[in-house]
Amino acid sequence: EIFKLKEHTERLFYSAKRMGIEVPYSQKEINEACNKIVNIQKVQNGYVRPLIWRGSEMMAISAQKNKIHVAIAAWEWGSYFSKENLQKGIRVKTSSYNKHFVK
């Protein structure tokens, strides 16, 4: 299962909207495609990256008429920790810094 897929896709669409990009697929279609590529690639522990961008039909400050492209990449992503550290455990420190999120 892809970690917080729904939330990540919602944020992707929010960002696209803020940039004036109308995504040519629904959030449900993007989520289904993410799950499909993970299954096709047989990714067990990996990374999934949906991308949305404007094409290169024209170069301008506001290239609103450029085609919208969507791609989804998925690949295995190994652990940052050795097997020994994963079994033994790691130390974690929580920062006192709080990031305030405004939507």
Side-chain angles (χ1 to χ4, degrees), residues 69-96:
H69 299 273
V70 179
I72 301 170
W75 62 89
E76 284 291 329
W77 192 305
S79 175
Y80 291 112
F81 309 106
S82 67
K83 286 185 180 184
E84 178 184 296
N85 283 341
L86 287 172
Q87 291 178 344
K88 184 173 71 174
I90 59 172
R91 299 179 121 202
V92 176
K93 183 175 182 177
T94 304
S95 171
S96 61

Side-chain angles (χ1 to χ4, degrees), residues 8-46:
H8 289 304
T9 303
E10 286 172 357
R11 193 173 69 248
L12 176 67
F13 272 68
Y14 174 79
S15 297
K17 183 178 180 181
R18 297 284 297 180
M19 295 179 65
I21 295 174
E22 188 174 322
V23 183
Y25 301 98
S26 70
Q27 290 186 33
K28 181 181 177 189
E29 289 173 310
I30 296 292
N31 290 341
E32 288 172 353
C34 286
N35 284 313
K36 186 174 182 179
I37 194 65
V38 164
N39 288 329
I40 289 169
Q41 296 289 94
K42 296 179 176 51
V43 175
Q44 295 295 312
N45 293 300

